[in-house]
Short mmCIF file of all heavy atoms in Angstrom, two decimals:
data_model
loop_
_atom_site.label_atom_id
_atom_site.label_comp_id
_atom_site.label_asym_id
_atom_site.label_seq_id
_atom_site.Cartn_x
_atom_site.Cartn_y
_atom_site.Cartn_z
N MET X 4 8.03 -74.68 -134.73
CA MET X 4 8.23 -76.12 -134.57
C MET X 4 7.38 -76.64 -133.45
O MET X 4 7.51 -76.26 -132.31
CB MET X 4 9.71 -76.41 -134.25
CG MET X 4 10.42 -76.81 -135.53
SD MET X 4 12.12 -77.16 -135.30
CE MET X 4 12.07 -78.69 -134.46
N ALA X 5 6.53 -77.48 -133.82
CA ALA X 5 5.65 -78.06 -132.80
C ALA X 5 6.29 -79.30 -132.23
O ALA X 5 6.72 -80.18 -132.98
CB ALA X 5 4.29 -78.41 -133.38
N THR X 6 6.32 -79.34 -130.95
CA THR X 6 6.90 -80.54 -130.33
C THR X 6 5.79 -81.53 -130.02
O THR X 6 4.71 -81.14 -129.59
CB THR X 6 7.64 -80.19 -129.00
OG1 THR X 6 6.75 -79.44 -128.22
CG2 THR X 6 8.86 -79.39 -129.32
N LYS X 7 6.08 -82.73 -130.34
CA LYS X 7 5.08 -83.77 -130.10
C LYS X 7 5.09 -84.19 -128.64
O LYS X 7 6.17 -84.38 -128.08
CB LYS X 7 5.40 -85.00 -130.97
CG LYS X 7 4.28 -85.36 -131.90
CD LYS X 7 4.65 -86.62 -132.65
CE LYS X 7 3.59 -86.95 -133.67
NZ LYS X 7 3.97 -88.14 -134.42
N ARG X 8 3.89 -84.30 -128.16
CA ARG X 8 3.83 -84.80 -126.78
C ARG X 8 3.79 -86.34 -126.83
O ARG X 8 2.82 -86.88 -127.30
CB ARG X 8 2.54 -84.31 -126.13
CG ARG X 8 2.77 -83.03 -125.34
CD ARG X 8 1.62 -82.81 -124.41
NE ARG X 8 1.62 -81.41 -123.93
CZ ARG X 8 0.65 -80.87 -123.27
NH1 ARG X 8 -0.43 -81.59 -123.02
NH2 ARG X 8 0.71 -79.64 -122.83
N THR X 9 4.81 -86.88 -126.33
CA THR X 9 4.84 -88.35 -126.34
C THR X 9 4.57 -88.94 -124.97
O THR X 9 4.21 -90.09 -124.86
CB THR X 9 6.21 -88.84 -126.86
OG1 THR X 9 7.21 -88.26 -126.07
CG2 THR X 9 6.37 -88.51 -128.33
N THR X 10 4.84 -88.09 -124.00
CA THR X 10 4.64 -88.62 -122.65
C THR X 10 3.26 -88.21 -122.12
O THR X 10 2.83 -87.08 -122.34
CB THR X 10 5.71 -88.12 -121.70
OG1 THR X 10 5.67 -86.70 -121.73
CG2 THR X 10 7.08 -88.63 -122.09
N THR X 11 2.63 -89.10 -121.50
CA THR X 11 1.35 -88.78 -120.90
C THR X 11 1.52 -88.67 -119.41
O THR X 11 2.21 -89.45 -118.79
CB THR X 11 0.31 -89.88 -121.23
OG1 THR X 11 0.86 -91.11 -120.80
CG2 THR X 11 -0.01 -89.90 -122.68
N LYS X 12 0.87 -87.68 -118.90
CA LYS X 12 0.99 -87.48 -117.46
C LYS X 12 0.26 -88.62 -116.73
O LYS X 12 -0.84 -88.97 -117.13
CB LYS X 12 0.37 -86.16 -117.05
CG LYS X 12 1.28 -84.99 -117.37
CD LYS X 12 0.70 -83.73 -116.80
CE LYS X 12 1.65 -82.56 -117.03
NZ LYS X 12 1.07 -81.32 -116.52
N PRO X 13 0.85 -89.08 -115.69
CA PRO X 13 0.14 -90.08 -114.89
C PRO X 13 -1.06 -89.47 -114.22
O PRO X 13 -1.08 -88.28 -113.95
CB PRO X 13 1.19 -90.53 -113.88
CG PRO X 13 2.14 -89.40 -113.78
CD PRO X 13 2.16 -88.74 -115.14
N PRO X 14 -2.09 -90.26 -114.05
CA PRO X 14 -3.26 -89.71 -113.38
C PRO X 14 -2.93 -89.22 -111.99
O PRO X 14 -2.02 -89.73 -111.33
CB PRO X 14 -4.23 -90.89 -113.32
CG PRO X 14 -3.35 -92.10 -113.47
CD PRO X 14 -2.20 -91.70 -114.29
N LYS X 15 -3.66 -88.22 -111.60
CA LYS X 15 -3.43 -87.69 -110.27
C LYS X 15 -3.66 -88.75 -109.21
O LYS X 15 -4.56 -89.57 -109.30
CB LYS X 15 -4.37 -86.51 -110.00
CG LYS X 15 -3.90 -85.24 -110.64
CD LYS X 15 -4.77 -84.10 -110.22
CE LYS X 15 -4.26 -82.80 -110.81
NZ LYS X 15 -5.15 -81.66 -110.44
N ASN X 16 -2.83 -88.65 -108.23
CA ASN X 16 -2.98 -89.60 -107.11
C ASN X 16 -4.34 -89.37 -106.46
O ASN X 16 -4.76 -88.25 -106.29
CB ASN X 16 -1.86 -89.42 -106.11
CG ASN X 16 -0.53 -89.86 -106.68
OD1 ASN X 16 -0.48 -90.72 -107.55
ND2 ASN X 16 0.54 -89.28 -106.21
N PRO X 17 -4.97 -90.43 -106.11
CA PRO X 17 -6.23 -90.25 -105.39
C PRO X 17 -5.98 -89.59 -104.05
O PRO X 17 -4.87 -89.55 -103.54
CB PRO X 17 -6.71 -91.70 -105.19
CG PRO X 17 -5.51 -92.55 -105.32
CD PRO X 17 -4.57 -91.84 -106.27
N ALA X 18 -7.04 -89.05 -103.53
CA ALA X 18 -6.89 -88.35 -102.26
C ALA X 18 -6.34 -89.32 -101.24
O ALA X 18 -6.71 -90.50 -101.16
CB ALA X 18 -8.25 -87.86 -101.78
N PRO X 19 -5.39 -88.83 -100.44
CA PRO X 19 -4.79 -89.68 -99.43
C PRO X 19 -5.84 -90.13 -98.41
O PRO X 19 -6.80 -89.44 -98.14
CB PRO X 19 -3.75 -88.77 -98.77
CG PRO X 19 -4.17 -87.37 -99.07
CD PRO X 19 -4.88 -87.43 -100.41
N ALA X 20 -5.59 -91.30 -97.93
CA ALA X 20 -6.53 -91.84 -96.95
C ALA X 20 -6.55 -90.93 -95.74
O ALA X 20 -5.55 -90.34 -95.35
CB ALA X 20 -6.06 -93.24 -96.49
N PRO X 21 -7.73 -90.71 -95.21
CA PRO X 21 -7.85 -89.84 -94.05
C PRO X 21 -7.01 -90.35 -92.90
O PRO X 21 -7.07 -91.50 -92.52
CB PRO X 21 -9.35 -89.90 -93.69
CG PRO X 21 -9.86 -91.10 -94.37
CD PRO X 21 -8.99 -91.33 -95.56
N VAL X 22 -6.21 -89.43 -92.40
CA VAL X 22 -5.32 -89.77 -91.29
C VAL X 22 -6.05 -89.52 -89.98
O VAL X 22 -6.73 -88.50 -89.86
CB VAL X 22 -4.03 -88.98 -91.40
CG1 VAL X 22 -3.05 -89.40 -90.30
CG2 VAL X 22 -3.42 -89.12 -92.77
N GLU X 23 -5.87 -90.42 -89.11
CA GLU X 23 -6.47 -90.19 -87.79
C GLU X 23 -5.88 -88.95 -87.17
O GLU X 23 -4.67 -88.78 -87.14
CB GLU X 23 -6.18 -91.38 -86.87
CG GLU X 23 -7.01 -92.59 -87.23
CD GLU X 23 -6.74 -93.73 -86.26
OE1 GLU X 23 -6.35 -93.46 -85.14
OE2 GLU X 23 -6.89 -94.88 -86.65
N PRO X 24 -6.72 -88.06 -86.71
CA PRO X 24 -6.20 -86.83 -86.09
C PRO X 24 -5.39 -87.12 -84.86
O PRO X 24 -5.87 -87.79 -83.95
CB PRO X 24 -7.43 -86.00 -85.78
CG PRO X 24 -8.54 -86.99 -85.73
CD PRO X 24 -8.16 -88.14 -86.65
N ALA X 25 -4.16 -86.67 -84.91
CA ALA X 25 -3.31 -86.88 -83.73
C ALA X 25 -3.74 -85.93 -82.63
O ALA X 25 -4.02 -84.78 -82.90
CB ALA X 25 -1.86 -86.65 -84.10
N SER X 26 -3.79 -86.46 -81.45
CA SER X 26 -4.19 -85.60 -80.34
C SER X 26 -3.10 -84.59 -80.06
O SER X 26 -1.92 -84.87 -80.21
CB SER X 26 -4.46 -86.45 -79.10
OG SER X 26 -3.34 -87.21 -78.79
N CYS X 27 -3.53 -83.44 -79.66
CA CYS X 27 -2.59 -82.36 -79.41
C CYS X 27 -1.67 -82.72 -78.22
O CYS X 27 -2.10 -83.32 -77.26
CB CYS X 27 -3.39 -81.10 -79.11
SG CYS X 27 -2.37 -79.65 -78.82
N GLN X 28 -0.44 -82.32 -78.40
CA GLN X 28 0.53 -82.68 -77.36
C GLN X 28 0.35 -81.91 -76.06
O GLN X 28 0.20 -82.53 -75.00
CB GLN X 28 1.95 -82.45 -77.89
CG GLN X 28 2.39 -83.48 -78.90
CD GLN X 28 2.67 -84.84 -78.28
OE1 GLN X 28 3.02 -84.91 -77.11
NE2 GLN X 28 2.49 -85.90 -79.02
N PRO X 29 0.31 -80.59 -76.08
CA PRO X 29 0.23 -79.87 -74.83
C PRO X 29 -1.01 -80.15 -74.00
O PRO X 29 -0.97 -80.18 -72.78
CB PRO X 29 0.28 -78.39 -75.24
CG PRO X 29 0.86 -78.39 -76.61
CD PRO X 29 0.42 -79.70 -77.23
N CYS X 30 -2.12 -80.37 -74.65
CA CYS X 30 -3.36 -80.54 -73.90
C CYS X 30 -3.81 -81.99 -73.86
O CYS X 30 -4.74 -82.33 -73.14
CB CYS X 30 -4.48 -79.68 -74.51
SG CYS X 30 -4.91 -80.20 -76.16
N GLY X 31 -3.15 -82.83 -74.65
CA GLY X 31 -3.52 -84.22 -74.62
C GLY X 31 -4.87 -84.49 -75.26
O GLY X 31 -5.50 -85.51 -74.99
N GLY X 32 -5.32 -83.62 -76.13
CA GLY X 32 -6.55 -83.85 -76.86
C GLY X 32 -7.77 -83.30 -76.18
O GLY X 32 -8.89 -83.46 -76.66
N THR X 33 -7.60 -82.61 -75.08
CA THR X 33 -8.76 -82.06 -74.35
C THR X 33 -9.08 -80.66 -74.83
O THR X 33 -10.19 -80.19 -74.68
CB THR X 33 -8.51 -82.06 -72.86
OG1 THR X 33 -7.37 -81.28 -72.58
CG2 THR X 33 -8.27 -83.47 -72.36
N GLY X 34 -8.09 -79.97 -75.37
CA GLY X 34 -8.32 -78.59 -75.79
C GLY X 34 -8.12 -77.60 -74.67
O GLY X 34 -8.17 -76.42 -74.87
N ASN X 35 -7.95 -78.14 -73.47
CA ASN X 35 -7.71 -77.25 -72.34
C ASN X 35 -6.42 -77.59 -71.67
O ASN X 35 -6.02 -78.76 -71.61
CB ASN X 35 -8.84 -77.38 -71.31
CG ASN X 35 -10.13 -76.76 -71.83
OD1 ASN X 35 -10.15 -75.65 -72.30
ND2 ASN X 35 -11.16 -77.55 -71.76
N VAL X 36 -5.74 -76.59 -71.22
CA VAL X 36 -4.52 -76.82 -70.49
C VAL X 36 -4.60 -76.11 -69.15
O VAL X 36 -5.27 -75.09 -69.02
CB VAL X 36 -3.29 -76.30 -71.25
CG1 VAL X 36 -3.00 -77.16 -72.47
CG2 VAL X 36 -3.49 -74.85 -71.66
N ALA X 37 -3.97 -76.71 -68.19
CA ALA X 37 -3.97 -76.07 -66.85
C ALA X 37 -2.93 -74.99 -66.81
O ALA X 37 -1.77 -75.21 -67.14
CB ALA X 37 -3.69 -77.13 -65.80
N ILE X 38 -3.37 -73.82 -66.42
CA ILE X 38 -2.45 -72.69 -66.34
C ILE X 38 -2.29 -72.35 -64.88
O ILE X 38 -3.27 -72.19 -64.15
CB ILE X 38 -3.01 -71.48 -67.13
CG1 ILE X 38 -3.08 -71.82 -68.61
CG2 ILE X 38 -2.14 -70.27 -66.88
CD1 ILE X 38 -3.71 -70.70 -69.43
N THR X 39 -1.04 -72.26 -64.48
CA THR X 39 -0.78 -71.88 -63.09
C THR X 39 -0.97 -70.36 -62.93
O THR X 39 -0.42 -69.58 -63.67
CB THR X 39 0.66 -72.26 -62.73
OG1 THR X 39 0.84 -73.64 -62.99
CG2 THR X 39 0.91 -71.99 -61.26
N VAL X 40 -1.76 -70.05 -61.97
CA VAL X 40 -2.03 -68.62 -61.70
C VAL X 40 -1.01 -68.13 -60.70
O VAL X 40 -0.85 -68.72 -59.63
CB VAL X 40 -3.45 -68.42 -61.16
CG1 VAL X 40 -3.72 -66.96 -60.91
CG2 VAL X 40 -4.47 -69.04 -62.10
N ARG X 41 -0.33 -67.10 -61.08
CA ARG X 41 0.69 -66.57 -60.19
C ARG X 41 0.32 -65.12 -59.82
O ARG X 41 -0.16 -64.36 -60.64
CB ARG X 41 2.07 -66.58 -60.87
CG ARG X 41 2.49 -67.99 -61.26
CD ARG X 41 3.77 -67.94 -62.09
NE ARG X 41 4.16 -69.26 -62.58
CZ ARG X 41 4.89 -70.09 -61.90
NH1 ARG X 41 5.31 -69.78 -60.70
NH2 ARG X 41 5.23 -71.26 -62.42
N VAL X 42 0.62 -64.80 -58.61
CA VAL X 42 0.33 -63.43 -58.20
C VAL X 42 1.54 -62.85 -57.46
O VAL X 42 2.42 -63.59 -56.99
CB VAL X 42 -0.87 -63.40 -57.22
CG1 VAL X 42 -2.13 -63.87 -57.93
CG2 VAL X 42 -0.61 -64.28 -56.01
N GLY X 43 1.57 -61.59 -57.42
CA GLY X 43 2.62 -60.92 -56.65
C GLY X 43 3.90 -60.78 -57.41
O GLY X 43 4.10 -61.35 -58.50
N ARG X 44 4.79 -60.01 -56.86
CA ARG X 44 6.07 -59.78 -57.52
C ARG X 44 6.90 -61.06 -57.54
O ARG X 44 7.74 -61.27 -58.39
CB ARG X 44 6.82 -58.69 -56.81
CG ARG X 44 6.13 -57.33 -56.97
CD ARG X 44 7.14 -56.24 -56.57
NE ARG X 44 7.95 -56.65 -55.45
CZ ARG X 44 8.56 -55.80 -54.65
NH1 ARG X 44 8.40 -54.49 -54.85
NH2 ARG X 44 9.30 -56.19 -53.67
N LYS X 45 6.68 -61.89 -56.52
CA LYS X 45 7.44 -63.12 -56.47
C LYS X 45 6.81 -64.21 -57.30
O LYS X 45 7.29 -65.33 -57.36
CB LYS X 45 7.55 -63.60 -55.03
CG LYS X 45 8.46 -62.75 -54.18
CD LYS X 45 8.59 -63.33 -52.80
CE LYS X 45 9.53 -62.44 -51.93
NZ LYS X 45 9.64 -62.95 -50.56
N ARG X 46 5.68 -63.87 -57.92
CA ARG X 46 4.98 -64.80 -58.78
C ARG X 46 4.64 -66.10 -58.02
O ARG X 46 4.96 -67.20 -58.44
CB ARG X 46 5.77 -65.13 -60.02
CG ARG X 46 5.94 -63.92 -60.90
CD ARG X 46 6.46 -64.25 -62.26
NE ARG X 46 6.28 -63.13 -63.22
CZ ARG X 46 5.24 -63.05 -64.01
NH1 ARG X 46 4.35 -64.00 -64.02
NH2 ARG X 46 5.11 -62.05 -64.81
N ARG X 47 4.06 -65.88 -56.89
CA ARG X 47 3.71 -67.04 -56.06
C ARG X 47 2.51 -67.74 -56.67
O ARG X 47 1.47 -67.11 -56.94
CB ARG X 47 3.35 -66.55 -54.66
CG ARG X 47 2.85 -67.63 -53.75
CD ARG X 47 2.73 -67.06 -52.35
NE ARG X 47 1.81 -65.90 -52.34
CZ ARG X 47 0.51 -65.99 -52.05
NH1 ARG X 47 -0.03 -67.16 -51.79
NH2 ARG X 47 -0.25 -64.93 -52.03
N PRO X 48 2.63 -69.01 -56.95
CA PRO X 48 1.49 -69.74 -57.53
C PRO X 48 0.37 -69.91 -56.52
O PRO X 48 0.60 -70.35 -55.40
CB PRO X 48 2.11 -71.08 -57.96
CG PRO X 48 3.27 -71.26 -57.09
CD PRO X 48 3.79 -69.87 -56.77
N VAL X 49 -0.82 -69.55 -56.93
CA VAL X 49 -1.95 -69.64 -56.00
C VAL X 49 -2.96 -70.72 -56.46
O VAL X 49 -3.89 -71.01 -55.77
CB VAL X 49 -2.70 -68.29 -55.91
CG1 VAL X 49 -1.81 -67.27 -55.22
CG2 VAL X 49 -3.16 -67.82 -57.25
N GLY X 50 -2.72 -71.28 -57.58
CA GLY X 50 -3.64 -72.30 -58.05
C GLY X 50 -3.53 -72.47 -59.55
O GLY X 50 -2.67 -71.94 -60.20
N GLN X 51 -4.47 -73.23 -60.02
CA GLN X 51 -4.48 -73.46 -61.47
C GLN X 51 -5.88 -73.23 -62.04
O GLN X 51 -6.86 -73.39 -61.35
CB GLN X 51 -4.06 -74.89 -61.79
CG GLN X 51 -2.55 -75.11 -61.61
CD GLN X 51 -2.11 -76.43 -62.17
OE1 GLN X 51 -2.88 -77.37 -62.23
NE2 GLN X 51 -0.87 -76.51 -62.60
N GLN X 52 -5.90 -72.84 -63.29
CA GLN X 52 -7.19 -72.66 -63.94
C GLN X 52 -7.09 -73.24 -65.35
O GLN X 52 -6.00 -73.31 -65.91
CB GLN X 52 -7.59 -71.20 -63.98
CG GLN X 52 -6.71 -70.37 -64.91
CD GLN X 52 -7.14 -68.93 -64.96
OE1 GLN X 52 -8.04 -68.53 -64.26
NE2 GLN X 52 -6.50 -68.15 -65.81
N ASP X 53 -8.20 -73.60 -65.86
CA ASP X 53 -8.21 -74.14 -67.20
C ASP X 53 -8.02 -73.01 -68.22
O ASP X 53 -8.61 -71.93 -68.11
CB ASP X 53 -9.52 -74.83 -67.50
CG ASP X 53 -9.51 -76.25 -66.94
OD1 ASP X 53 -8.41 -76.71 -66.57
OD2 ASP X 53 -10.58 -76.86 -66.86
N GLY X 54 -7.18 -73.27 -69.18
CA GLY X 54 -6.97 -72.28 -70.21
C GLY X 54 -7.08 -72.93 -71.59
O GLY X 54 -6.89 -74.16 -71.72
N LEU X 55 -7.41 -72.13 -72.54
CA LEU X 55 -7.52 -72.68 -73.89
C LEU X 55 -6.15 -73.06 -74.40
O LEU X 55 -5.20 -72.31 -74.26
CB LEU X 55 -8.14 -71.60 -74.78
CG LEU X 55 -8.55 -72.08 -76.19
CD1 LEU X 55 -9.73 -73.04 -76.12
CD2 LEU X 55 -8.89 -70.85 -77.04
N CYS X 56 -6.08 -74.22 -74.97
CA CYS X 56 -4.80 -74.66 -75.51
C CYS X 56 -4.47 -73.82 -76.71
O CYS X 56 -5.26 -73.70 -77.66
CB CYS X 56 -4.88 -76.14 -75.91
SG CYS X 56 -3.36 -76.75 -76.64
N LEU X 57 -3.29 -73.20 -76.67
CA LEU X 57 -2.93 -72.31 -77.78
C LEU X 57 -2.35 -73.08 -78.94
O LEU X 57 -2.15 -72.54 -80.03
CB LEU X 57 -1.90 -71.31 -77.28
CG LEU X 57 -2.46 -70.31 -76.25
CD1 LEU X 57 -1.34 -69.38 -75.82
CD2 LEU X 57 -3.61 -69.55 -76.82
N ASN X 58 -2.09 -74.34 -78.74
CA ASN X 58 -1.51 -75.13 -79.85
C ASN X 58 -2.61 -75.58 -80.80
O ASN X 58 -2.45 -75.50 -82.00
CB ASN X 58 -0.79 -76.32 -79.25
CG ASN X 58 0.03 -77.03 -80.33
OD1 ASN X 58 0.71 -76.36 -81.12
ND2 ASN X 58 -0.04 -78.33 -80.38
N CYS X 59 -3.72 -76.00 -80.27
CA CYS X 59 -4.81 -76.48 -81.12
C CYS X 59 -6.00 -75.57 -81.04
O CYS X 59 -6.99 -75.80 -81.70
CB CYS X 59 -5.18 -77.90 -80.69
SG CYS X 59 -5.83 -77.99 -79.04
N LEU X 60 -5.94 -74.56 -80.21
CA LEU X 60 -7.05 -73.61 -80.06
C LEU X 60 -8.32 -74.30 -79.64
O LEU X 60 -9.44 -73.98 -80.12
CB LEU X 60 -7.26 -72.83 -81.35
CG LEU X 60 -6.05 -71.97 -81.78
CD1 LEU X 60 -6.33 -71.29 -83.10
CD2 LEU X 60 -5.71 -70.97 -80.72
N GLY X 61 -8.18 -75.27 -78.80
CA GLY X 61 -9.36 -75.95 -78.25
C GLY X 61 -9.89 -77.07 -79.09
O GLY X 61 -10.86 -77.70 -78.74
N GLU X 62 -9.22 -77.33 -80.21
CA GLU X 62 -9.72 -78.40 -81.08
C GLU X 62 -9.41 -79.76 -80.50
O GLU X 62 -10.16 -80.72 -80.66
CB GLU X 62 -9.06 -78.28 -82.46
CG GLU X 62 -9.50 -77.07 -83.24
CD GLU X 62 -10.87 -77.24 -83.84
OE1 GLU X 62 -11.17 -78.35 -84.26
OE2 GLU X 62 -11.64 -76.28 -83.88
N GLY X 63 -8.28 -79.84 -79.86
CA GLY X 63 -7.89 -81.13 -79.28
C GLY X 63 -7.09 -82.00 -80.21
O GLY X 63 -6.61 -83.06 -79.87
N THR X 64 -6.92 -81.50 -81.44
CA THR X 64 -6.14 -82.27 -82.41
C THR X 64 -4.96 -81.42 -82.84
O THR X 64 -5.08 -80.21 -82.94
CB THR X 64 -6.96 -82.64 -83.64
OG1 THR X 64 -7.52 -81.46 -84.17
CG2 THR X 64 -8.10 -83.59 -83.26
N ALA X 65 -3.87 -82.11 -83.06
CA ALA X 65 -2.69 -81.37 -83.49
C ALA X 65 -2.94 -80.68 -84.81
O ALA X 65 -3.39 -81.31 -85.77
CB ALA X 65 -1.49 -82.32 -83.59
N PRO X 66 -2.65 -79.40 -84.90
CA PRO X 66 -2.96 -78.64 -86.13
C PRO X 66 -2.10 -79.05 -87.30
O PRO X 66 -2.56 -78.99 -88.44
CB PRO X 66 -2.70 -77.18 -85.74
CG PRO X 66 -1.77 -77.25 -84.57
CD PRO X 66 -2.06 -78.56 -83.87
N ASP X 67 -0.90 -79.46 -87.04
CA ASP X 67 -0.01 -79.82 -88.16
C ASP X 67 0.27 -81.30 -88.18
O ASP X 67 1.40 -81.74 -88.27
CB ASP X 67 1.28 -79.00 -88.08
CG ASP X 67 1.90 -79.05 -86.71
OD1 ASP X 67 1.48 -79.91 -85.91
OD2 ASP X 67 2.77 -78.26 -86.43
N ALA X 68 -0.73 -82.09 -87.99
CA ALA X 68 -0.56 -83.55 -88.00
C ALA X 68 -0.55 -84.05 -89.43
O ALA X 68 -1.29 -83.53 -90.24
CB ALA X 68 -1.63 -84.22 -87.21
ZN1 LIG C 23 -4.10 -78.60 -77.67
#
């Protein structure tokens, strides 16, 4: 028994409009975050250094925006 196709599929939605890349939260879109350097058993902070943002991996844009 062949079933008749009476319904036609709607055309695929066009590609969504490009969304503006949201800036990454932890680094604020710079791709770098300040990491506090700690030394010693008491973990005394001695300064800060730039570190790669692990959320966006330096892209500066939120990966799951
Ligand atoms: Zn980031």
